[in-house]
């Protein structure tokens, strides 16, 4: 994945941290901005931590203002499926709760949209650049066969629509840019831990393996792919 400067939102999470580690192995990458709620100090001078809150636009705008020069890769590795004492995937429509639904949309849809609002203008106009956000196969309307998980599915479907919109708009000013949603598969993380039962061992990825797959997918995408949603193996997922 060729990128001189990269920004990772959710850099303290499993996938975000693994993507950062993979990028740091590439000597062509000159700087990696690591965004999290509570950033940790770094010994590598190429790694620049910053704080942000997905639910506070001012923190995202402040992060954008600290960037030095154009950004070649923006990777949004944030997301919520459940929270202890909070939202949980609904098995039926009777379980819908407006507060829980609003929280999932705030994290899975509105937060990434606000990142796009403030960071898409930082992409270079004269070369290829990438804005990628973690989505999910269950956010596909065409691929939905099981139902349930209403709020999570809907928030990811809405994110997919926004990514398609951003791609259309960006073509006018950044014709070489790529906007993409990524389905990482089932990754061994806190998000998937309660739902790993029945997942074949070979289909349960470590964060590092998932990062390897996702960066490989991004490296093969071109401007004509912009707006699409792609699985870890590069297969395009229908909206």
């Amino acid at each position: 994945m060729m990128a001189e400067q990269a920004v990772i939102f959710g850099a303290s999470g499993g996938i975000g941290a693994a993507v950062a580690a993979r990028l740091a192995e590439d000597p062509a990458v000159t700087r990696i901005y690591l965004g999290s709620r509570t950033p940790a100090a770094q010994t590598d001078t190429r790694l620049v931590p910053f704080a942000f809150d997905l639910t506070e636009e001012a923190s995202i705008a402040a992060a954008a203002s600290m960037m030095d020069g154009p950004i070649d890769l923006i990777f949004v590795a944030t997301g919520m499926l459940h929270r202890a004492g909070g939202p949980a995937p609904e098995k039926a429509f009777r379980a819908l709760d407006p507060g829980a639904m609003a929280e999932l949309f705030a994290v899975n849809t509105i937060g990434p949209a606000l990142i796009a609002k403030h960071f898409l203008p930082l992409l270079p106009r004269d070369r290829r650049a990438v804005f990628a956000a973690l989505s999910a196969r269950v956010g596909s309307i065409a691929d939905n066969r099981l139902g349930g998980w209403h709020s999570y599915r809907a928030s990811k479907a809405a994110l997919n629509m926004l990514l398609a919109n951003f791609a259309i708009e960006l073509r006018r000013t950044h014709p070489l840019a790529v906007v993409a949603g990524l389905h990482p598969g089932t990754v061994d993380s806190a998000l998937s831990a309660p739902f790993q039962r029945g997942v074949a061992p070979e289909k349960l990825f470590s964060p590092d393996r998932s990062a390897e797959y996702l960066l490989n997918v991004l490296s093969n995408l071109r401007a004509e792919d912009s707006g699409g949603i792609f699985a870890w193996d590069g297969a395009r997922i229908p909206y």
Side-chain angles (χ1 to χ4, degrees):
M1 177 71 208
M2 294 298 295
E4 293 182 14
Q5 292 206 111
V7 180
I8 301 172
F9 286 87
S12 61
I15 295 177
V19 168
R22 285 267 170 183
L23 291 174
E25 294 173 354
D26 186 347
V29 179
T30 59
R31 186 169 298 166
I32 308 170
Y33 294 95
L34 305 175
S36 61
R37 280 179 174 269
T38 53
Q42 302 291 332
T43 56
D44 187 337
T45 57
R46 295 184 303 157
L47 305 180
V48 182
F50 68 92
F52 81 102
D53 186 328
L54 270 180
T55 63
E56 294 183 7
E57 182 178 2
S59 73
I60 297 171
S65 69
M66 68 168 281
M67 300 294 136
D68 182 16
I71 304 299
D72 301 285
L73 171 64
I74 301 164
F75 195 105
V76 183
T78 58
M80 175 187 285
L81 173 58
H82 60 91
R83 177 173 59 78
E90 309 96 343
K91 295 181 179 179
F93 55 74
R94 294 180 183 84
L96 284 168
D97 174 81
M101 180 175 274
E103 186 172 355
L104 283 171
F105 269 81
V107 173
N108 293 335
T109 312
I110 299 172
L114 292 175
I115 292 172
K117 173 183 175 180
H118 293 282
F119 275 79
L120 286 180
L122 302 181
L123 296 178
R125 296 184 180 222
D126 60 346
R127 62 181 185 270
R128 182 181 180 274
V130 176
F131 179 94
L134 291 185
S135 187
R137 186 181 296 277
V138 297
S140 168
I141 295 173
D143 194 53
N144 185 0
R145 301 290 184 272
L146 298 175
W149 290 27
H150 301 300
S151 298
Y152 185 71
R153 284 183 185 274
S155 65
K156 290 297 188 178
L159 172 63
N160 294 347
M161 175 60 81
L162 286 168
L163 294 174
N165 277 354
F166 298 155
I168 292 170
E169 185 172 350
L170 210 58
R171 287 189 194 112
R172 303 165 191 160
T173 56
H174 298 69
L176 300 178
V178 175
V179 176
L182 297 173
H183 168 62
T186 303
V187 180
D188 190 8
S189 66
L191 184 144
S192 70
F195 311 101
Q196 293 178 9
R197 189 176 179 182
V199 177
E202 66 273 13
K203 291 296 180 71
L204 181 62
F205 303 144
S206 68
D208 179 67
R209 178 62 60 85
S210 179
E212 177 186 9
Y213 287 150
L214 296 179
L215 288 174
N216 184 60
V217 170
L218 292 180
S219 68
N220 287 303
L221 296 181
R222 298 295 175 258
E224 53 267 30
D225 300 311
S226 191
I229 313 300
F230 300 89
W232 59 270
D233 59 357
R236 190 165 189 141
I237 297 173
Y239 296 123

